[in-house]
Amino acid sequence: MLGPVTMLGNASYERDRCITGIRGLDEILRGGIPYGSATLVAGTCGSGKTTLGMEFLMNGAKSGEACAHFSATEPSVKLLENIRQYSFFDMTTVDRGLINVFDMDVLFSWLGLDKSTFNLDDIDAMVKAITDIVNTIGVTRLVIDSVTSLCYKIPNEQLIRDFLFKLGKSLSTLGCTTLLIAEITSVGGTAHRSAFGVEEAIADGIIVLGDVERMGNLLRYLQVVKMRGTDHSRAKYALEITRSGVMLTPMLKWGVSQ
């Protein structure tokens, strides 16, 4: 969706935004994630990826949006049991169908994809199944956790590229703003941006979560590396996970040099 803006007598366009509601992130993104974007949220183990994704959905549900979470790394029952400890999460949104949680293993079984590797036809079937659910429910916010787990079933980089491109394009056409959770490693204190080397080229945006060491302690950080359709800060921000959700603050306030 595009809205016309007039600047210096010339017609230009500004993308409508999906307001994440996460403290500090919308300011970093100058108003939120452009609607219909597929954003790679790439993080190391324990960096807060799942919590950030669930808060993103929860804030949409509070506004009456239909949201969905596809879980590929843990059963949905375990996911909900872990996330309900946070005060920001309201379990009634699941009961009311505002947040819909799906197990990818169940979806695979339904599609007959009980195999260790997927071919092109399998990938097309998976993309169609996900987009059909999104279209039927009218989902406007989607989290897939994790896209890395799905890509492990795809035998080569070209097919991974095809999968991510088709998925992102289909979801964008439906007006769905998507977070693709990705698992990455940290080498020498620097977090890699993707597990397979192709995800970051396909995604509309890249948000990296990781750790920095300060006086013997590991501090979580978030950095928006890329986001098409909007200006944004590229600085690292300290990420704190509280009972009320994710909170981002400039790193210098933590006494850490950027």
Side-chain angles (χ1 to χ4, degrees):
M1 291 182 288
L2 299 174
V5 179
T6 301
M7 297 178 63
L8 301 178
N10 297 319
S12 61
Y13 296 91
E14 184 177 273
R15 291 277 295 275
D16 287 341
R17 306 301 177 90
C18 175
I19 299 173
T20 70
I22 295 169
R23 286 173 291 178
L25 184 55
D26 293 314
E27 289 77 10
I28 293 171
L29 294 171
R30 310 294 191 252
I33 300 173
Y35 275 119
S37 296
T39 299
L40 191 72
V41 179
T44 54
C45 179
S47 58
K49 305 181 297 295
T50 297
T51 303
L52 185 144
M54 290 303 294
E55 187 176 357
F56 169 71
L57 297 183
M58 190 70 230
N59 290 333
K62 287 178 179 177
S63 300
E65 296 182 51
C67 306
H69 185 286
F70 284 88
S71 182
T73 54
E74 63 179 338
S76 58
V77 172
K78 184 178 179 181
L79 168 70
L80 293 174
E81 189 62 33
N82 289 335
I83 205 68
R84 67 191 303 170
Q85 67 179 297
Y86 295 100
S87 60
F88 75 80
F89 189 76
D90 181 0
M91 193 67 183
T92 65
T93 57
V94 177
D95 299 332
R96 292 157 53 202
L98 289 171
I99 294 181
N100 303 269
V101 183
F102 301 92
D103 288 303
M104 288 303 301
D105 285 345
V106 174
L107 184 62
F108 291 155
S109 178
W110 178 63
L111 293 171
L113 299 179
D114 52 349
K115 54 180 71 173
S116 58
T117 59
F118 293 160
N119 58 33
L120 183 58
D121 289 340
D122 299 329
I123 291 170
D124 288 343
M126 180 167 56
V127 170
K128 185 178 186 304
I130 293 172
T131 53
D132 281 350
I133 291 172
V134 167
N135 190 36
T136 299
I137 299 175
V139 171
T140 56
R141 297 191 186 206
L142 173 66
V143 171
I144 298 178
D145 188 358
S146 71
V147 71
T148 307
S149 297
L150 301 183
C151 289
Y152 276 130
K153 290 179 172 290
I154 302 175
N156 60 65
E157 290 184 0
Q158 184 56 52
L159 282 179
I160 291 173
R161 183 182 294 271
D162 290 344
F163 164 60
L164 294 174
F165 178 77
K166 290 176 181 178
L167 181 63
K169 182 179 178 180
S170 298
L171 293 172
S172 178
T173 300
L174 295 174
C176 182
T177 305
T178 306
L179 299 187
L180 303 172
I181 307 298
E183 297 144 9
I184 54 175
T185 58
S186 180
V187 178
T190 300
H192 291 187
R193 295 175 185 173
S194 64
F196 299 96
V198 299
E199 305 96 308
E200 55 193 272
I202 301 298
D204 297 309
I206 303 171
I207 299 176
V208 174
L209 282 67
D211 302 300
V212 291
E213 186 173 349
R214 177 65 175 175
M215 299 178 66
N217 295 315
L218 283 179
L219 304 179
R220 295 183 178 96
Y221 75 85
L222 177 148
Q223 184 178 28
V224 178
V225 176
K226 164 186 170 183
M227 190 66 63
R228 294 175 181 145
T230 181
D231 185 22
H232 61 87
S233 169
R234 299 186 84 247
K236 289 182 178 178
Y237 289 78
L239 185 154
E240 183 178 1
I241 300 176
T242 71
R243 281 187 52 80
S244 59
V246 171
M247 182 173 65
L248 300 171
T249 55
M251 290 290 272
L252 289 177
K253 290 186 178 181
W254 288 55
V256 181
S257 173
Q258 297 187 56

